[in-house]
Amino acid sequence: MTRPALIIALCLLAGACTAPRERPATPAATLTLASWNMEHLAERNGSGCRPRSDADYAAMRAYAEALDADVIAFQEVESRAAAERVFDPARYTIEIEQRVGSGRKGECGGQPGLTINPQRTGFAIRKGVVFERQPDLTDLQLGNPDLRSGVDLVVRPAGAAPIRLLSVHLKAGCNSGDQREACPVLFQQVPVVERWIDQRASERLRFAVLGDFNRRLALPGDAVWADWDDASPANADLARASGDQGARCNPRYRDFIDYIVLDRRASGGLVRFEEKTYAGPALSDHCAITAQLQAH
């Protein structure tokens, strides 16, 4: 018997020969995006239309950490200092819209003695994620300093294809149809977003629009969604990361108004969407949503 054959025979007799173990598959690199309307997040305790305590800010910080997102688009944040009370500056970089606003401080509805603080949109970007700030999309203001502009970034995460991101907070009060008082303003913002989408769709980077759209875009035949999702250019064939699923944050509202809208290239890499509901008392009147994308 030859030596190799003898070794094999001995192994079989001893029951010691096993097939080589397959190495576990290495998970593909991913990028996790999130969007969260933080409901009048102020930089000082007891301030604004949703006054908060130290314990409230601590709970929001724990919730933000649990999102485990690489980039979080946020809305209704007073200032960088307010954002940094929730997003640990040692872990996140804050980019917030540069709009000054009119300075008017109206009374909070149904809350005598409380006044509205500025509401800004922006991003919290995990440290180590490379990004480039683009000019804010100020056309969304329609010449009104109290309407929000959009914050625009190119994100270049290690091991993942770059992506262009726009954080928005559109006019409230026209969540469906076109007959409500706020609808003419929202419908003037719609072509501004469409121009941004079409410009990005003609470029080489995948993109996403994230935020509070104040619109039930998933309703059958919604006019706003039909304007944007027209596949012209081809990469303007859009997808809502939430698909057709309903919202669970507040049982009174079954339809999302917060979205992560992906272009054709980004939607092809969608791994998972999740709405992060609150385990205890609601920390905001909106829950955060997340979308995990493949690297390429």
Side-chain angles (χ1 to χ4, degrees):
M1 182 180 291
T2 65
R3 183 177 178 83
L6 178 61
I7 292 172
I8 292 171
L10 291 173
C11 283
L12 291 172
L13 288 171
C17 289
T18 58
R21 294 183 179 179
E22 293 185 4
R23 292 183 180 180
T26 303
T30 58
L31 176 72
T32 300
L33 307 177
S35 181
W36 186 17
N37 181 318
M38 304 175 76
E39 192 188 0
H40 295 278
L41 186 73
E43 62 182 70
R44 299 185 309 280
N45 287 15
S47 177
C49 296
R50 175 72 187 259
R52 291 179 169 94
S53 65
D54 284 337
D56 295 324
Y57 288 99
M60 294 183 82
R61 179 171 285 206
Y63 177 84
E65 293 288 348
L67 293 177
D68 195 27
D70 299 294
V71 183
I72 304 102
F74 57 73
Q75 301 83 42
E76 290 197 23
V77 173
E78 179 184 7
S79 63
R80 181 184 305 275
E84 288 180 345
R85 293 198 67 177
V86 174
F87 300 104
D88 182 357
R91 300 193 62 184
Y92 298 95
T93 300
I94 301 300
E95 293 291 334
I96 194 164
E97 67 170 303
Q98 298 171 344
R99 174 178 58 92
V100 175
S102 67
R104 289 194 298 269
K105 282 184 167 286
E107 186 175 274
C108 301
Q111 302 184 75
L114 297 179
T115 55
I116 300 172
N117 289 334
Q119 297 181 10
R120 296 185 173 91
T121 186
F123 287 101
I125 306 102
R126 190 194 299 275
K127 295 284 188 180
V129 176
V130 176
F131 67 91
E132 301 151 14
R133 176 84 177 252
Q134 307 300 309
D136 288 356
L137 186 60
T138 56
D139 286 352
L140 278 175
Q141 294 178 240
L142 307 176
N144 181 346
D146 290 328
L147 289 177
R148 277 87 48 160
S149 55
V151 177
D152 188 342
L153 301 179
V154 173
V155 175
R156 302 184 186 277
I163 187 168
R164 185 91 174 248
L165 303 176
L166 182 69
S167 176
V168 300
H169 187 184
L170 302 186
K171 175 67 176 175
C174 183
N175 62 29
S176 63
D178 59 6
Q179 298 301 308
R180 299 182 185 183
E181 183 179 353
C183 288
V185 176
L186 177 71
F187 276 85
Q188 288 180 70
Q189 292 180 315
V190 169
V192 176
V193 176
E194 184 172 15
R195 284 195 297 273
W196 189 93
I197 288 171
D198 289 350
Q199 288 166 2
R200 304 292 80 78
S202 299
E203 297 169 352
R204 61 185 181 83
L205 298 185
R206 56 183 178 162
F207 66 85
V209 186
L210 311 87
D212 181 354
F213 292 78
N214 273 311
R215 184 76 180 181
R216 296 154 69 194
L217 297 175
L219 288 182
D222 179 67
V224 174
W225 183 249
D227 278 355
W228 293 341
D229 182 30
D230 59 7
S232 179
N235 289 319
D237 184 4
L238 307 177
R240 300 178 299 272
S242 50
D244 294 323
Q245 67 181 272
R248 297 178 295 110
C249 187
N250 184 330
R252 292 177 57 198
Y253 305 110
R254 301 300 178 88
D255 298 305
F256 282 111
I257 60 172
D258 301 277
Y259 295 94
I260 299 172
V261 174
L262 305 170
D263 85 317
R264 185 175 66 170
R265 296 160 295 191
S267 65
L270 179 63
V271 176
R272 182 172 63 249
F273 170 84
E274 188 174 358
E275 181 185 22
K276 303 283 191 175
T277 55
Y278 300 114
L283 303 175
S284 165
D285 57 355
H286 296 244
C287 293
I289 55 175
T290 68
Q292 187 180 67
L293 306 181
Q294 292 176 348
H296 301 288

